[in-house]
Amino acid sequence: MGQRVHLVAAALLLAILITANWFSGDLRDLIGYCPRIGYLLQTVNGVGRGPSVAGDNHDNRPLAANLSACHASLTDADRPTYCCPPRRDADQIVVEFQLPEIAPSPLRVRRPAHLLDSDYVAKYEKAVAIMKSLPSDHPHSFLRQANNHCLYCTGSYNQVNSTSLFKIHRSWFFFPWHRAFLYFHERILGKLIGDDTFALPYWSWDNPEGMVMPEFYTRGAFNSTQREPGHLPPHVADLNYQREETGRKPEEQMAVNLAFMYHQMVSGARKAELFMGCKLTAGAEGGCDGPGTIEDAPHNTVHEWVGNGLNPEREYMGAFYTAARDPAFYAHHANIDRLWTVWRKIMDSAAPDFTESSWLDTSFTFYDENLRFVRIKVRDCLDPAKLGYAYENIDLPWLNARPKPAVPPEVARNILKKKDEWSTLLASGNPDGQTTYFNNEEQALGATVRARVQRPRRHGAQAEKGEEEEILVVYGIHVLGDVYAKFDVFVNLVADEKKAGPLAREFAGTFVNTPRGARRVGEDRLSAAWRKSTLKLGISELLEDLKADRDENVWVSLVPRAGSGANIMVDGIRIELLR
Ligand code: C2O
C-alpha cells in the first residue's frame, strides 16, 4: 500500500505540466470527458515535449547477466519468486556458442501445430513426458526449462557491473532471447528421444485455420490445468484480447484478428525499432520500456487469453514467471519467432537490422543438449538457417487485410475541422496560444482523452517522403501499481470509440501492460529497472489512407479498455519522423 502511495507521489513529481487546447465545455460533456481525472496532452507545436526516450545517457556496453548472484525476484504482480538453479551458474564452465553443423543433419522444419499427424504428436509428447520426468535439478527438466524464462523475465540476475536488473522483455532483446531459448529447448527435446530432426511445432494464430488452440495441447503431457476454460478449443483466439469477452462470432473474430495482424506486421511496423522494441542498453540510464508491435500484442494478449483468469496473475500463461510451464508456451513462441522471419522478408531492406554492438554482442546463457553451459550472442541468433531450422510456409491472409476508414475521410475531416476552430478560439487570449485546464489534478486516463497533435514539417527532399516513417509517440506512460492496463490509440476517429477497433483504419495501435515488476525483493523503492513506457506507432500509411497526410494536425484519441484507465497516467503525445 505504501508502495502505491510512493508511486503516485513519484508520478506527480515527475509529471510535466503540459498545456492543451481543448474542446469547449459543452463538447467536453458530450464526449463524457471529466477534467478531474483527465490528463494533459500536448496539442500545440513544441509544447510539452517530454524527456526524449531511451538513449540519451546510455552506455554502449553489450549486456550480460551477472551469473555470480542469482537472487530471488518478484513476479509481475510483485509477489516474491525464486527460480534460480540449484548449482550456481557462475561455477559452470562457459562454452562459447558454435553454430551447429547443418549438413549432414537435415534442417529441422517447424510445422503448424494443427497440421501435425498423430505420429509426430506422439513423438513430441514422448519427449515432453521424458523432460517432465527428469529430476528438477537437471538442466533438461521441464521445470528448469521453464525457469530459464523466469530468470530472464523477473530479473533474477543483475546486469554485469551494475545493480540494474537484466530483463529481456519490452525491448529489442525480446525476439533474439526467445529465439535462443527455443533453439536449445528444441534440441534438448530431440536429444531426449534420439531424433536430431525434431522440430517444435508453431501455433499459427495469425491464420484462420490456426486461430483455435491446437487440439492436442489439451491432452496428455501437453495438457495444463491452468488455462482459461472458456478459451479452450473450439474458441477462436482474440489477438487483441482485453480481458473481456467480445461475444463475436468466429468469422467476425477472425476478420478482426487479420486486420489487427496487418496493423502489427505491416503498417505499424515499417522500422526495426517499431517491430523489435526499444533499444535497451546497460545500466539504469539505458533502461527503456517499449515493446515492439508483436510483443505488445498478440504476444502479451495471447498469453493473457490462455492463462487462467481465476489465478491472481492468470498463471500459467498470463504471468511470465510461470508461462513456460505451459507446453503451449513453446508453440506460441515458435509462431512469434516465425513472424520475425516473415517480417524480415516483407520489409526486405526497407527496415535494416540494428547494427549496434550493444545489441549484437549482448549475450545469454543456456544449457545445450549435451549439458554444456553455452554463451550465445544476439548476433548468433539472426539467421534460422544457420541455426539449422526453418519454418514451413503457410498463407499470410493478413497481408490483404488492410483496414478501411470507419467514416469516409471527407466526412470525418469536416467534423474534425469544427473541433479545430473551437480549440483555436479557446487558445486565443493566452499569450502562449495555449490553454491550461488541468494543472496539478490527479492525471489519469479515466475516460477517453482526445488531443490535437501537430505533425512535424518535412523539409526539402524529405517532403517527398521515402525513408522516413511518421510515428506517433505516446510518452511517459505510467501504470500505477503496475497492474494490468490497456488502451487503444486512434487517429482522426469520429466513430464511437467504444465499438471501434482494428477493423477501422483509424486504429493506430494498442498499449498493453502485463505487469512487469516495479521493485526488487526486500527493497521498498522503485527498482532501477523500472521505467515509464513509451509507445511508438508507425502511422505513415494510416495517414495516407485517412487522406490526412497533407494536414498540419491530427486528432488522437487514447481509449482505455477493460476499466483499466484509472490506473494509467500519460505525460503526452507527439509526432516524430523516424529514419
Ligand atoms: Cu518471455 Cu511470451 O514471454
Side-chain angles (χ1 to χ4, degrees):
M1 214 40 226
Q3 186 60 25
R4 189 160 291 203
V5 172
H6 284 146
L7 283 167
V8 174
L12 286 173
L13 280 172
L14 287 170
I16 295 164
L17 213 116
I18 301 157
T19 51
N21 284 336
W22 210 257
F23 294 113
S24 70
D26 294 343
L27 198 59
R28 258 185 284 146
D29 292 338
L30 211 71
I31 60 171
Y33 177 72
C34 167
R36 292 199 63 82
I37 54 172
Y39 201 59
L40 315 185
L41 290 164
Q42 167 196 358
T43 62
V44 180
N45 192 24
V47 179
R49 281 188 185 267
S52 81
V53 262
D56 310 78
N57 278 318
H58 65 246
D59 172 336
N60 280 320
R61 273 174 300 139
L63 292 180
N66 174 2
L67 299 175
S68 60
C70 188
H71 45 70
S73 41
L74 290 165
T75 74
D76 298 329
D78 247 18
R79 293 185 296 147
T81 187
Y82 187 81
C83 37
C84 296
R87 281 178 294 276
R88 280 195 347 148
D89 279 343
D91 299 335
Q92 312 302 312
I93 297 168
V94 180
V95 180
E96 296 301 328
F97 178 75
Q98 304 264 309
L99 289 170
E101 273 189 38
I102 297 173
S105 47
L107 225 52
R108 297 166 188 254
V109 180
R110 297 184 181 172
R111 304 196 62 217
H114 70 280
L115 295 182
L116 295 187
D117 61 39
S118 53
D119 287 351
Y120 202 100
V121 174
K123 174 167 91 173
Y124 180 21
E125 182 174 9
K126 186 172 162 209
V128 173
I130 297 174
M131 207 175 233
K132 287 188 167 178
S133 72
L134 293 173
S136 61
D137 63 347
H138 194 295
H140 291 173
S141 68
F142 194 73
L143 183 66
R144 287 285 301 280
Q145 288 291 299
N147 277 352
N148 271 333
H149 188 249
C150 175
L151 292 173
Y152 284 92
C153 76
T154 61
S156 298
Y157 293 121
N158 292 355
Q159 300 170 12
V160 279
N161 305 319
S162 171
T163 54
S164 297
L165 303 178
F166 189 21
K167 298 170 94 172
I168 51 79
H169 290 98
R170 306 178 71 83
S171 77
W172 62 354
F173 296 121
F174 171 76
F175 280 105
W177 186 89
H178 289 85
R179 173 167 287 173
F181 178 43
L182 290 197
Y183 168 83
F184 291 109
H185 183 73
E186 175 174 82
R187 296 176 78 91
I188 292 168
L189 287 166
K191 177 93 175 186
L192 293 176
I193 52 171
D195 178 352
D196 65 1
T197 68
F198 176 78
L200 288 166
Y202 63 88
W203 174 10
S204 56
W205 34 247
D206 58 305
N207 181 302
E209 288 172 24
M211 283 180 187
V212 172
M213 175 184 280
E215 186 77 42
F216 71 78
Y217 282 102
T218 61
R219 294 196 299 265
F222 297 115
N223 196 15
S224 162
T225 52
Q226 304 305 318
R227 294 186 189 135
E228 180 65 28
H231 294 167
L232 295 174
H235 293 275
V236 176
D238 178 355
L239 301 187
N240 190 23
Y241 180 59
Q242 40 208 38
R243 291 197 173 183
E244 281 170 345
E245 302 311 316
T246 62
R248 293 186 188 114
K249 297 200 184 72
E251 310 73 53
E252 288 169 352
Q253 184 61 59
M254 287 173 185
V256 175
N257 285 349
L258 291 180
F260 187 61
M261 284 304 300
Y262 177 85
H263 186 275
Q264 302 296 79
M265 285 294 289
V266 185
S267 61
R270 301 210 294 192
K271 293 287 168 200
E273 193 181 336
L274 299 176
F275 181 74
M276 307 282 293
C278 67
K279 301 182 176 184
L280 178 72
T281 52
E285 290 306 317
C288 71
D289 184 274
T293 48
I294 291 291
E295 179 183 0
D296 206 35
H299 167 258
N300 284 337
T301 42
V302 171
H303 269 287
E304 294 260 323
W305 191 79
V306 175
N308 188 342
L310 294 178
N311 293 334
E313 299 180 53
R314 299 188 81 95
E315 290 95 337
Y316 289 155
M317 273 286 268
F320 290 154
Y321 82 102
T322 48
R325 294 184 204 175
D326 185 332
F329 172 96
Y330 303 89
H332 177 41
H333 270 279
N335 201 40
I336 302 274
D337 186 66
R338 171 188 150 257
L339 290 171
W340 183 13
T341 68
V342 171
W343 176 81
R344 209 33 308 147
K345 267 187 219 136
I346 302 174
M347 293 302 152
D348 197 17
S349 53
D353 268 326
F354 299 120
T355 52
E356 290 91 332
S357 156
S358 50
W359 188 62
L360 292 169
D361 294 313
T362 283
S363 60
F364 322 112
T365 46
F366 297 93
Y367 282 91
D368 75 1
E369 67 276 22
N370 298 313
L371 285 172
R372 285 177 306 203
F373 191 57
V374 177
R375 172 165 39 224
I376 186 169
K377 292 182 171 173
V378 167
R379 64 169 72 249
D380 299 319
C381 299
L382 303 182
D383 185 353
K386 288 195 184 143
L387 292 171
Y389 73 91
Y391 288 98
E392 180 175 299
N393 289 331
I394 53 166
D395 286 346
L396 307 172
W398 43 262
L399 274 178
N400 303 316
R402 186 163 172 170
K404 303 243 172 1
V407 171
E410 299 73 16
V411 177
R413 179 191 230 89
N414 278 332
I415 299 174
L416 292 164
K417 223 173 141 229
K418 290 212 180 95
K419 292 182 181 173
D420 267 354
E421 280 158 16
W422 282 319
S423 58
T424 311
L425 277 179
L426 278 174
S428 64
N430 176 322
D432 304 326
Q434 302 137 24
T435 305
T436 303
Y437 277 113
F438 315 115
N439 289 329
N440 283 322
E441 298 285 346
E442 190 167 2
Q443 299 140 1
L445 213 64
T448 294
V449 166
R450 291 180 182 80
R452 188 166 59 103
V453 184
Q454 179 112 17
R455 293 174 61 215
R457 275 182 219 288
R458 295 175 193 250
H459 300 289
Q462 285 178 359
E464 295 306 310
K465 298 204 199 125
E467 273 130 61
E468 284 176 321
E469 175 72 10
E470 194 155 333
I471 59 168
L472 181 62
V473 184
V474 184
Y475 60 87
I477 306 168
H478 175 188
V479 179
L480 297 179
D482 197 27
V483 293
Y484 168 80
K486 186 173 189 297
F487 64 86
D488 288 342
V489 183
F490 294 89
V491 170
N492 286 0
L493 183 74
V494 294
D496 179 1
E497 77 256 9
K498 292 275 175 309
K499 295 194 191 118
L503 279 179
R505 182 76 265 202
E506 290 87 338
F507 177 82
T510 187
F511 172 84
V512 183
N513 190 64
T514 44
R516 59 202 141 93
R519 65 193 169 93
R520 269 168 229 260
V521 170
E523 250 178 34
D524 193 31
R525 63 176 178 81
L526 292 179
S527 114
W530 189 87
R531 280 289 173 278
K532 287 186 177 182
S533 306
T534 306
L535 179 66
K536 293 187 176 183
L537 305 168
I539 54 170
S540 291
E541 188 188 278
L542 172 151
L543 292 176
E544 275 168 46
D545 289 357
L546 295 180
K547 302 199 167 72
D549 50 339
R550 305 246 160 225
D551 294 352
E552 276 181 31
N553 311 295
V554 292
W555 285 93
V556 176
S557 315
L558 306 182
V559 184
R561 299 297 190 192
S564 62
N567 293 312
I568 305 174
M569 320 255 287
V570 173
D571 282 345
I573 305 173
R574 63 173 177 258
I575 297 179
E576 310 175 335
L577 298 174
L578 182 66
R579 241 171 224 288

